[in-house]
């Protein structure tokens, strides 16, 4: 066996073994042993994750899974395939695994000074969360996936309840857990029903049955099953108006936790399982999801505009950002799907950078209230530089990472065949303006103007060496993902081409033609204006 056959298993085992080893090391006051151990484990995991893009076959057939492992695990009954240890990645999941590996060491560095007690518990749970996230992205057996899905809830809830910043942390943790767990119970019922009808938990096999309309002759039962899947995933995104847990959880969660709290897992699950197993049902519900996406964009941005608490502002900014992705993926064309998947990566990187910066600000001044700040630019030259760069990436400045995804999403939404797409796309476009308003207002109120009450009382400091190490990778990625998104699109586009409406694939001169010119191996974002002209035509 070469590394290709075992790489996904190693990606799961490395943080798992690390979590077990750290749990055996006793806590010592003032010791950084657990943080150093977690950093070493996460760096090894990230190094293993980088094997995937360097050995990924970009010429593979759409719909195929690479680095696959498929071994029987639990036999349930004669005549059925049972539960398999089935792992694999494709153009959708490969970069998400790399992203998870990239964010983990930064999360450890961000917690280095912020978490001062019970470090054994914190870093053990943090590594366990990495296991769950990677498992979600690589599982191709629905039962195995569900195990990782449920596992992801436990470390997050415990980390929020134990290491939250105020006395409301337990309430926020319980709220998050109930919001996520109750829909997951419905998901389990739907999984059991699927197995009873098909005799398999294997995702590729279920996709074949769905394409042949052979899962169930009962359209009503399929509808209910698809809605159970969608509801469980939509809460985790969260899709408006299922965001009731978001503000409290984001406000209380430590920086390393909030970096992975919203977006990736739910959006990936919708694309992988809802779109893969219930394509017809998702097409029918697409008009509603496009409407909810457009409303969520504007609602999240407007609420962020009036928030004075920086963490709560970031929570509603996240709602607006993930609503953009919902709009794009439910457009069901290549442009929208490409933009949506790319924006999952962009939003994850931009959101993580913003939360790291907010955490650094809190470490210095002990407050997230914008009204207490002001005039910090003269003290923190490096910090304001990274804040401004992150804000510009978030609002979609050309040449930075946020631009390409937002442009493709809006282009896909305007060219969609979903009913009423134009009206909702026009509404969604206003979110670009509103995001600039709340992000730049935040920069102005925190860093410029008169010196605020809190900076007058506490003498802060600019970035130290460890904090530079945390933030420079984000700055490099903002530019690289903005200037060379084709690096990521080569894999993403194979998934989008397979998932989008079939007429958009094969008509001469259609979106398929646009994507081949825009995302070819030697293309760059300079080709994007051609896509605009073609979409307008």
């Amino acid at each position: 066996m070469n590394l290709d056959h075992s790489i996904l298993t190693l990606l799961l085992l490395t943080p798992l073994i690390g979590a077990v080893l750290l749990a055996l090391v006793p806590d010592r006051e003032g010791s950084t042993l657990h943080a150093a151990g977690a950093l070493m484990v996460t760096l090894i995991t990230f190094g293993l994750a980088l094997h995937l893009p360097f050995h990924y076959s970009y010429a593979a057939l759409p719909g195929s899974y690479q680095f696959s492992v498929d071994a029987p695990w639990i036999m349930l009954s004669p005549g059925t395939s049972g539960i398999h240890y089935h792992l694999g990645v494709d153009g959708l999941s490969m970069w998400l695994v790399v992203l998870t590996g990239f964010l983990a060491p930064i999360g450890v560095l961000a917690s280095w000074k912020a978490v001062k007690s019970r470090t054994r518990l914190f870093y053990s749970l943090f590594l366990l969360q990495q296991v769950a996230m990677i498992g979600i992205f690589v599982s191709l057996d629905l039962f195995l996936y569900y195990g990782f899905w449920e596992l992801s809830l436990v470390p997050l809830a415990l980390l929020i309840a134990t290491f939250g910043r105020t006395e409301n942390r337990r309430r926020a943790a319980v709220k998050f857990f109930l919001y996520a767990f109750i829909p997951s119970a419905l998901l389990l019922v739907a999984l059991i029903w699927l197995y009873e009808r098909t005799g398999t938990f294997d995702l590729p096999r279920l996709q074949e049955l769905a394409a042949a309309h052979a899962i169930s002759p009962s359209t009503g039962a399929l509808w209910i099953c698809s809605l159970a899947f969608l509801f469980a995933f939509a809460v985790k995104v969260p899709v408006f108006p299922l965001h009731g847990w978001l503000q409290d959880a984001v406000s209380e969660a430590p920086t390393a936790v909030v970096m992975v709290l919203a977006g990736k897992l739910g959006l990936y699950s919708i694309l992988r399982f809802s779109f893969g197993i219930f394509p017809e049902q998702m097409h029918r519900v697409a008009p509603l999801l496009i409407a909810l996406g457009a409303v969520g964009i504007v609602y999240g941005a407007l609420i962020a505009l009036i928030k004075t608490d920086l963490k709560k502002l970031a929570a509603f900014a996240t709602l607006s950002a993930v609503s953009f992705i919902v709009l794009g993926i439910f457009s069901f064309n290549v442009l929208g799907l490409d933009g949506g998947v790319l924006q999952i990566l962009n939003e994850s990187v931009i959101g993580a950078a913003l939360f790291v910066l907010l955490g650094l600000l809190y470490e210095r001044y002990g407050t997230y209230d914008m009204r207490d700040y002001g005039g910090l630019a003269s003290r923190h030259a490096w910090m304001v530089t990274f804040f401004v760069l992150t804000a510009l990436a978030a609002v979609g400045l050309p040449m930075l990472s946020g631009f390409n995804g937002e442009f493709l999403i809006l282009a896909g939404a305007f060219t969609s065949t979903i009913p009423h797409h134009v009206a909702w796309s026009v509404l969604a476009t206003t979110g670009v303006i509103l995001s600039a308003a709340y992000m730049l207002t935040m920069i102005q109120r925190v860093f410029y103007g008169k010196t605020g009450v809190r900076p007058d009382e506490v003498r802060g400091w600019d970035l130290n060496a460890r904090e530079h190490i945390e933030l420079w990778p984000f700055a490099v990625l903002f530019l690289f993902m903005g200037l060379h998104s084709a690096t990521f699109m080569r894999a993403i586009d194979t998934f989008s081409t397979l998932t989008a409406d079939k007429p958009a694939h094969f008509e001469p001169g259609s979106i398929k033609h646009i994507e081949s010119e825009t995302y070819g191996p030697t293309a760059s974002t300079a080709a994007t204006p051609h896509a605009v002209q073609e979409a307008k035509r």
Side-chain angles (χ1 to χ4, degrees):
M1 292 175 63
N2 58 34
L3 191 58
D4 285 354
H5 294 113
S6 58
I7 185 64
L8 299 183
T9 301
L10 290 173
L11 281 168
L12 292 172
L13 286 178
T14 302
L16 179 61
I17 294 172
V20 172
L21 293 177
L22 288 183
L24 298 176
V25 179
D27 278 319
R28 293 178 182 174
E29 189 68 28
S31 173
T32 60
L33 182 60
H34 293 101
L39 180 62
M40 182 174 66
V41 171
T42 54
L43 286 173
I44 293 171
T45 305
F46 180 44
L48 291 171
L50 288 176
H51 177 88
L52 302 182
F54 284 106
H55 294 82
Y56 187 86
S57 175
Y58 296 94
L61 291 174
S64 61
Y65 296 97
Q66 300 185 35
F67 311 104
S68 295
V69 178
D70 188 3
W73 182 21
I74 301 173
M75 182 60 67
L76 297 177
S77 61
T80 63
S81 64
I83 301 170
H84 281 225
Y85 178 73
H86 191 183
L87 309 178
V89 296
D90 65 351
L92 172 62
S93 55
M94 186 262 290
W95 283 113
L96 289 171
V97 175
V98 176
L99 173 68
T100 303
F102 167 76
L103 292 179
I106 295 177
V108 174
L109 290 172
S111 307
W112 201 275
K113 294 295 184 182
V115 179
K116 300 176 182 178
S117 62
R118 306 184 72 178
T119 55
R120 174 172 63 174
L121 177 63
F122 180 88
Y123 289 109
S124 297
L125 289 175
F126 180 77
L127 291 178
L128 194 61
Q129 176 63 24
Q130 299 304 305
V131 176
M133 292 183 63
I134 294 172
I136 287 172
F137 293 139
V138 302
S139 295
L140 297 180
D141 182 278
L142 263 67
F143 192 89
L144 184 64
Y145 162 83
Y146 184 79
F148 286 118
W149 176 264
E150 289 294 279
L151 177 62
S152 71
L153 303 181
V154 178
L156 285 176
L158 290 176
L159 286 167
I160 295 171
T162 308
F163 299 95
R165 64 187 177 97
T166 73
E167 65 277 4
N168 293 323
R169 58 186 179 272
R170 290 182 178 84
R171 176 179 174 272
V174 171
K175 192 174 184 180
F176 164 73
F177 185 81
L178 291 178
Y179 260 87
F181 181 74
I182 293 173
S184 293
L186 299 177
L187 175 62
L188 178 60
V189 174
L191 289 177
I192 294 171
W193 180 84
L194 270 179
Y195 183 79
E196 189 274 332
R197 299 301 303 174
T198 62
T200 183
F201 285 117
D202 188 62
L203 176 63
R205 178 59 182 154
L206 288 170
Q207 289 175 317
E208 293 174 3
L209 293 172
H213 307 280
I215 290 180
S216 173
S218 173
T219 56
L222 275 174
W223 256 110
I224 294 172
C225 188
S226 69
L227 291 177
F229 271 70
L230 183 61
F231 182 51
F233 302 149
V235 169
K236 197 70 176 285
V237 172
V239 175
F240 175 87
L242 303 174
H243 63 282
W245 61 269
L246 183 63
Q247 176 177 270
D248 291 337
V250 168
S251 182
E252 293 296 330
T255 299
V257 177
V258 77
M259 288 166 61
V260 301
L261 197 56
K264 297 186 289 293
L265 300 182
L267 290 164
Y268 166 80
S269 299
I270 290 174
L271 288 162
R272 170 67 73 225
F273 299 102
S274 292
F275 284 16
I277 303 174
F278 309 103
E280 291 185 8
Q281 289 74 21
M282 292 303 101
H283 275 76
R284 292 179 184 177
V285 82
L288 173 62
L289 269 296
I290 283 179
L292 293 178
V295 172
I297 291 167
V298 177
Y299 173 81
L302 289 174
I303 299 298
L305 197 56
I306 63 173
K307 288 292 182 182
T308 57
D309 185 283
L310 289 167
K311 266 286 192 80
K312 293 178 180 178
L313 181 153
F316 283 98
T318 300
L319 175 62
S320 185
V322 297
S323 296
F324 250 113
I325 299 169
V326 171
L327 175 72
I329 64 178
F330 279 93
S331 298
F332 276 108
N333 57 33
V334 175
L335 285 174
L337 285 162
D338 275 350
V341 178
L342 179 63
Q343 197 65 4
I344 295 175
L345 303 177
N346 291 333
E347 190 276 330
S348 297
V349 173
I350 294 168
L354 178 60
F355 285 118
V356 168
L357 287 164
L358 294 179
L360 296 179
L361 206 60
Y362 185 80
E363 285 181 26
R364 286 155 172 77
Y365 298 103
T367 180
Y368 284 114
D369 194 333
M370 278 195 291
R371 294 169 296 185
D372 294 337
Y373 286 107
L376 293 182
S378 59
R379 296 186 186 179
H380 308 303
W382 277 112
M383 185 180 287
V384 70
T385 300
F386 282 109
F387 256 103
V388 170
L389 185 61
T390 302
L392 293 177
V395 303
L397 185 74
M399 295 195 301
L400 295 180
S401 56
F403 173 76
N404 294 327
E406 284 190 2
F407 163 75
L408 289 170
I409 286 170
L410 291 174
F414 274 106
T415 57
S416 175
T417 59
I418 303 298
H420 312 298
H421 65 279
V422 174
W424 294 119
S425 301
V426 170
L427 178 64
T429 304
T430 63
V432 177
I433 301 170
L434 292 172
S435 66
Y438 65 72
M439 291 299 292
L440 297 180
T441 298
M442 177 194 70
I443 297 295
Q444 191 276 330
R445 294 182 66 178
V446 173
F447 291 99
Y448 298 97
K450 295 181 180 180
T451 302
V453 175
R454 196 64 181 158
D456 201 33
E457 297 174 349
V458 179
R459 186 67 185 177
W461 63 93
D462 207 0
L463 301 181
N464 58 35
R466 174 180 56 83
E467 292 163 347
H468 274 286
I469 294 172
E470 291 175 41
L471 293 171
W472 272 107
F474 288 120
V476 172
L477 269 183
F478 291 159
L479 289 169
F480 182 77
M481 295 176 76
L483 295 173
H484 211 278
S485 59
T487 300
F488 305 92
M489 283 299 186
R490 290 173 63 194
I492 292 171
D493 194 56
T494 59
F495 170 81
S496 302
T497 302
L498 188 70
T499 307
D501 290 328
K502 292 299 183 287
H505 298 176
F506 302 109
E507 292 178 1
S510 67
I511 294 172
K512 178 62 180 176
H513 172 67
I514 298 173
E515 83 172 14
S516 66
E517 295 194 6
T518 308
Y519 306 128
T522 60
S524 69
T525 53
T528 300
H530 175 78
V532 181
Q533 297 171 6
E534 196 72 15
K536 286 180 178 179
R537 182 178 69 78

